Amino acid sequence: MTKLLNIDTIAPLAEKEIILNGKKYAVKETSVQLFLEIAEFEKQNANIETVQEQIEAMIALIRKFIPDIPEEVLLQATVAQLGTIVRFIRNDIDEEPTENEKVEAEAKEGTTEAGK
């Protein structure tokens, strides 16, 4: 008898995207390598003394997870936007629900309220 452990079914990849300046960018799944880079970023970030170095570190981290996003686009973003993207990459904030998820949630609420 053959035993099989299909890791793909245990840890399916979740697609993540951000929208910046009206354009969608795919966010890479957090591989072990990228996870280690986040840890390194956090360690280095604790020792960064200037805002300029902190912004450069955030841009470098973002570009590892979102290689399609041009650096020029990130340089036009606000510091708050960069920080939010980094938190999203680190899974420190929830993503916004998609339009389909919003419609499904509203439909569930309507069904629940109708059953009262």
Side-chain angles (χ1 to χ4, degrees):
M1 178 176 188
T2 302
K3 292 186 178 187
L4 173 67
L5 174 60
N6 186 346
I7 298 299
D8 291 342
T9 61
I10 294 171
L13 299 178
E15 291 184 27
K16 290 173 67 172
E17 297 178 322
I18 67 161
I19 298 175
L20 183 59
N21 297 334
K23 184 167 182 198
K24 280 187 184 180
Y25 297 96
V27 178
K28 285 184 173 182
E29 181 68 26
T30 305
S31 64
V32 172
Q33 179 181 354
L34 290 174
F35 180 82
L36 293 173
E37 290 184 25
I38 289 174
E40 183 64 26
F41 167 80
E42 290 172 350
K43 187 168 80 173
Q44 287 178 356
N45 203 28
N47 298 322
I48 291 176
E49 295 182 13
T50 69
V51 174
Q52 180 182 354
E53 290 174 324
Q54 188 175 26
I55 290 170
E56 289 170 355
M58 285 193 293
I59 288 173
L61 180 68
I62 291 168
R63 300 258 354 261
K64 289 179 183 184
F65 278 85
I66 311 171
D68 295 338
I69 196 165
E71 186 172 348
E72 302 79 43
V73 170
L74 293 173
L75 290 172
Q76 297 301 314
T78 66
V79 174
Q81 288 173 320
L82 292 181
T84 302
I85 294 169
V86 169
R87 288 193 312 279
F88 183 68
I89 287 169
R90 293 171 47 200
N91 294 317
D92 287 347
I93 60 172
D94 292 329
E95 59 273 5
E96 292 183 16
T98 64
E99 287 302 316
N100 286 343
E101 291 169 336
K102 288 178 185 177
V103 169
E104 288 174 11
E106 289 172 3
K108 278 185 180 178
E109 286 178 16
T111 304
T112 305
E113 290 176 12
K116 286 185 180 179

